[in-house]
Amino acid sequence: MAHRRRSHPNLYSYPPLPILLLAAAAIFLLCASPSSSAKSETEILLKFKESLENAAELSSWNPSQPPCEGERHNWEGVMCEDGKVRGLNLNGMGLKGTLDVESLVELPDLRVFAVIDNNFEGSLPDFNKMGAVKHVYLSHNKFSGEIPSNGFQGMSSLKKLHLNNNGFVGAIPTSLATLSKLIELMLENNKFDGSLPNFKQERFTMVNFSNNLLVGEIPPALSKLNASSFHGNAGLCGAPLKPCDVHPKLSTGTKAVVGMALAAALVAILLVIIILAKRKPVSAAEEGAATAQVAAAQRKAPQDEMDKIEKGSTASSSTAARSTAPSSAPPAETRRAEQSVKLSFLIEDREKFGLPDLLKASAEILGNGIFGATYKAALSTGPVMVVKRFKHMNIVGKEDFHEHMRRLGRLSNQNLLPVVAFYYRKEEKLLVSDFVDNCSLAFHLHGKNRSGSSSLDWPKRLKVVKGVAKGIAYLYTELPSLTAPHGHLKSTNVLLNSSHEPLLNDYGLLPVVNLEHAQAHMIAYKAPEFRQGGRITKKTDVWSLGILILEILTGKFPEKFAQQSKGSEGDLASWVESAIGDGEGAAEEVFDKEIKNGCPEEMMKLLKIGMSCCEVDVEKRWDIKQAVKSIEEVREK
Ligand SMILES: *[C@@H]1O[C@H](CO)[C@@H](O)[C@H](O)[C@H]1NC(C)=O
């Protein structure tokens, strides 16, 4: 009885109701009357001025008139908009003393802060408290000291940051690499050292790291900048400067050089493995460094996890264990073969090979995608593999990455290109799949000699659409937790086998790709709902499918449309819409002239399906079920 009362306390064990009401009223009053506690802009700025020294030029800052009236400023150096303080421009005023960021934070509309060419010294004030500020100019002062790595964390609105010509030392704060809006970053003429953070912003307009003490490789996202942005740092290498020694340049395109580059990358990876293995010596060391690390990984996995794996449970989250300890005990020979490699295999009934085998294989570069280079490697035993390097996949840790790869490894569908194996290293990942000989859909649609035998007739195009739809529907069913289960559907990621059956590639990667990189490059983030509302939805892949259908029918390359006009009106769907809007006759005009054996009615039916999938209004857009059902109903004749 007593026990039951304890687990169901009666009303009297809570504070009496009147007290609760009073407390609620007090909280309400505190929150609802900001005017009583919030200071005016006049008060805030005067407080800010108090901690400045040598502020003779700010004599106009006095309470006799407000700082701003409409767009006009009464106070020197105050930038006004709509009667509000939008910015402070205190350049070249000989100011010293302390920058009272605490006060600035209280100015809700402050977007610009400039104190170029003054005499401020000491360490950088806590600007990251000003989450909404867009432009910060501190150039030509005497600031010094290290900036903490999270010094700019949370400044998601920051577009321009000028810290040049000061005395900053230490590493460039890594938090700068996370600011997606940043377009100007001037850090030249300081004493920053160490390597550059892995900047991923590709929209930089002005960046300067010159005359610091920086070393190491320039991140790929910065490689297109002017070399003068990096001069005066003896230790920096890589494009646009001279290549770094360990990575021979890929651009000459000859097989040999590419092979060497891949070899160099793999050697680097092997070196890391060896170093890792040396750090934790294990009994199996004599079987070789790679084996040692596998053993270490196995040892770390708790016994119950191992048991789960041995029983073939899919819930395991332990590291590389699954690939090295398959469900049924393999013959000793296979086990040794698996352990001598460091690739994690996702498909069990495969001939196993390792990085060394890929190293020996003759390699050829297939292309450079948004993630990194893709190589084709022919193993000496026959199979031809494709190895993709991924450089923008370091948001998830090793266990989560393995877990996600195993999820992808369990997928099996005739319209998906399986991931055969993968390799995990903190800075980069390799995904290995089979080489598909018959090129991508993009090549068939837009390749140079497409009017020859490689051109696709209507039955083939319909087959491709149906296959792609099946593959996407399968992904929706099997990866229900992903908002966009494919995420990167486009014609270059649809491979055709010898019987023109489409195979989807690069699917299911959104959870492991760095968000910024994904948002800048992946197809899901080109959808109107992201451009307009900043989010993707369960119907985003349907939109990509629609665009693909329109591309297949019109022979037009969607990315060209996207480039020509940045707005949502510039995509292929709107072009088709306006073209068919001109009347039935004009509708015929939108189809690719290369389509042979076409059936106009059925083609028109498919075109309309494509349009429905591209509906801008997500509410009205079809879901995947309806799209697949309608596609199934289209006939060849
Ligand atoms: C970077 O700064 C250095 C030193 O001030 C200057 O010589 C160089 O022209 C600048 N480069 C760019 C791209 O702004």
Side-chain angles (χ1 to χ4, degrees):
M1 199 53 203
H3 177 77
R4 194 181 302 156
R5 194 178 307 147
R6 206 176 305 133
S7 55
H8 297 281
N10 63 32
L11 196 64
Y12 296 106
S13 56
Y14 291 116
L17 198 58
I19 294 189
L20 282 179
L21 285 176
L22 268 179
I27 290 168
F28 175 79
L29 282 175
L30 277 175
C31 302
S33 56
S35 53
S36 63
S37 61
K39 294 186 206 130
S40 68
E41 289 183 329
T42 301
E43 289 171 305
I44 297 165
L45 286 176
L46 288 177
K47 172 89 185 351
F48 170 76
K49 184 183 164 188
E50 272 175 24
S51 57
L52 299 176
E53 291 168 29
N54 214 19
E57 292 206 37
L58 300 182
S59 59
S60 59
W61 289 31
N62 70 68
S64 64
Q65 43 184 357
C68 290
E69 276 174 281
E71 312 298 298
R72 195 168 61 92
H73 65 95
N74 295 323
W75 292 17
E76 184 69 30
V78 176
M79 298 156 78
C80 300
E81 211 179 282
D82 258 356
K84 307 245 174 55
V85 177
R86 290 287 288 183
L88 290 179
N89 175 350
L90 311 178
N91 297 343
M93 293 183 169
L95 299 171
K96 288 166 54 166
T98 306
L99 288 175
D100 176 8
V101 172
E102 302 287 341
S103 291
L104 295 179
V105 172
E106 297 185 58
L107 292 168
D109 300 292
L110 191 76
R111 298 291 176 270
V112 181
F113 183 77
V115 290
I116 300 173
D117 193 16
N118 284 286
N119 294 315
F120 291 105
E121 41 184 51
S123 53
L124 184 79
D126 289 344
F127 276 99
N128 60 5
K129 294 196 176 127
M130 301 165 64
V133 75
K134 289 182 173 170
H135 302 174
V136 173
Y137 303 97
L138 309 180
S139 323
H140 295 273
N141 277 283
K142 295 181 187 120
F143 287 109
S144 60
E146 280 190 41
I147 306 175
S149 66
N150 63 358
F152 298 95
Q153 199 167 318
M155 300 184 72
S156 55
S157 307
L158 193 63
K159 291 174 89 169
K160 304 185 179 183
L161 176 67
H162 293 203
L163 302 181
N164 54 290
N165 298 77
N166 277 289
F168 289 113
V169 299
I172 294 177
T174 50
S175 46
L176 286 174
T178 65
L179 307 178
S180 60
K181 299 236 171 79
L182 196 65
I183 53 170
E184 281 183 22
L185 178 61
M186 312 306 274
L187 302 181
E188 72 269 24
N189 303 320
N190 280 288
K191 291 181 201 104
F192 286 114
D193 59 28
S195 55
L196 288 170
N198 191 8
F199 286 102
K200 287 155 214 125
Q201 296 95 325
E202 281 171 355
R203 267 163 267 163
F204 274 133
T205 53
M206 257 194 355
V207 178
N208 204 329
F209 301 101
S210 283
N211 304 329
N212 281 288
L213 305 163
L214 299 165
V215 295
E217 188 166 5
I218 296 170
L222 304 180
S223 64
K224 289 180 204 85
L225 295 170
N226 195 311
S228 79
S229 298
F230 303 97
H231 283 159
N233 293 284
L236 278 183
C237 63
L241 305 179
K242 283 208 203 89
C244 303
D245 285 345
V246 281
H247 294 295
K249 237 188 152 68
L250 297 179
S251 62
T252 57
T254 73
K255 250 184 153 175
V257 170
V258 167
M260 269 169 56
L262 179 59
L266 297 179
V267 164
I269 290 168
L270 284 175
L271 278 177
V272 170
I273 295 170
I274 291 167
I275 292 163
L276 280 174
K278 286 231 168 99
R279 277 213 320 237
K280 3 180 155 114
V282 291
S283 58
E286 69 274 16
E287 282 184 31
T291 322
Q293 212 232 347
V294 171
Q298 278 179 335
R299 234 178 16 157
K300 268 196 302 189
Q303 193 52 45
D304 57 335
E305 285 285 31
M306 291 300 289
D307 290 343
K308 270 191 228 159
I309 295 159
E310 300 279 83
K311 289 187 194 112
S313 159
T314 53
S316 156
S317 64
S318 74
T319 60
R322 185 187 164 114
S323 63
T324 54
S327 45
S328 57
E333 190 186 323
T334 327
R335 175 161 279 194
R336 197 165 315 117
E338 283 171 43
Q339 289 190 345
S340 70
V341 307
K342 262 315 291 163
L343 287 172
S344 301
F345 276 81
L346 293 167
I347 303 184
E348 296 296 347
D349 57 349
R350 272 307 183 107
E351 179 200 350
K352 303 291 189 285
F353 52 86
L355 289 177
D357 304 310
L358 286 174
L359 254 170
K360 273 184 270 163
S362 65
E364 183 184 336
I365 191 161
L366 290 175
N368 265 305
I370 61 155
F371 297 110
T374 301
Y375 308 88
K376 170 182 166 187
L379 295 165
S380 58
T381 50
V384 183
M385 309 308 296
V386 170
V387 183
K388 267 193 175 182
R389 290 177 79 180
F390 288 87
K391 292 194 175 161
H392 304 276
M393 282 194 180
N394 37 24
I395 34 165
V396 297
K398 184 164 182 170
E399 296 214 345
D400 289 339
F401 190 83
H402 275 256
E403 173 77 24
H404 188 66
M405 284 300 127
R406 281 197 296 272
R407 235 157 131 211
L408 297 188
R410 286 196 290 272
L411 302 176
S412 166
N413 181 273
Q414 67 160 345
N415 294 112
L416 293 186
L417 181 70
V419 185
V420 173
F422 69 96
Y423 177 78
Y424 176 97
R425 189 166 66 111
K426 196 153 179 268
E427 305 75 32
E428 86 183 316
K429 322 285 174 282
L430 304 177
L431 297 196
V432 182
S433 56
D434 291 314
F435 176 68
V436 180
D437 210 3
N438 202 17
C439 299
S440 69
L441 173 62
F443 177 84
H444 285 272
L445 289 173
H446 316 293
K448 278 212 184 75
N449 46 6
R450 68 189 196 105
S451 47
S453 56
S454 77
S455 124
L456 299 172
D457 60 13
W458 160 243
K460 282 183 193 144
R461 289 185 201 219
L462 182 59
K463 180 177 182 177
V464 170
V465 171
K466 289 189 171 179
V468 169
K470 278 193 200 127
I472 295 289
Y474 176 82
L475 289 173
Y476 267 94
T477 324
E478 295 298 315
L479 302 172
S481 62
L482 301 196
T483 310
H486 191 296
H488 201 38
L489 178 64
K490 56 176 187 162
S491 57
T492 49
N493 278 338
V494 177
L495 305 175
L496 301 187
N497 71 11
S498 49
S499 52
H500 293 92
E501 192 66 57
L503 293 165
L504 302 181
N505 193 11
D506 278 1
Y507 48 84
L509 296 179
L510 278 189
V512 291
V513 175
N514 302 357
L515 187 61
E516 265 173 38
H517 193 75
Q519 291 186 344
H521 299 285
M522 291 179 74
I523 296 300
Y525 290 101
K526 312 268 187 247
E529 55 268 36
F530 183 74
R531 285 183 300 193
Q532 290 163 11
R535 68 195 186 105
I536 57 171
T537 73
K538 270 284 182 189
K539 290 181 179 174
T540 294
D541 272 344
V542 177
W543 175 83
S544 319
L545 175 64
I547 293 287
L548 190 78
I549 291 174
L550 299 181
E551 179 180 357
I552 290 172
L553 289 173
T554 63
K556 297 255 186 293
F557 201 39
E559 283 175 29
K560 262 201 193 135
F561 280 83
Q563 272 162 17
Q564 276 159 11
S565 135
K566 291 256 161 65
S568 65
E569 303 313 313
D571 66 17
L572 188 51
S574 347
W575 178 76
V576 172
E577 189 164 38
S578 62
I580 29 182
D582 293 345
E584 279 298 315
E588 314 275 284
E589 294 293 300
V590 306
F591 292 115
D592 188 353
K593 301 283 175 298
E594 300 294 330
I595 301 185
K596 302 197 179 69
N597 309 322
C599 165
E601 296 79 44
E602 293 297 308
M603 280 164 60
M604 188 49 93
K605 212 169 166 186
L606 186 58
L607 189 76
K608 294 209 167 128
I609 293 172
M611 297 298 296
S612 301
C613 293
C614 291
E615 170 62 53
V616 172
D617 184 344
V618 178
E619 293 298 316
K620 287 195 217 146
R621 188 185 304 159
W622 288 357
D623 62 14
I624 189 66
K625 284 211 182 79
Q626 190 168 2
V628 172
K629 185 166 163 283
S630 314
I631 290 168
E632 278 308 310
E633 285 163 8
V634 180
R635 302 267 160 262
E636 266 181 33
K637 295 239 154 42

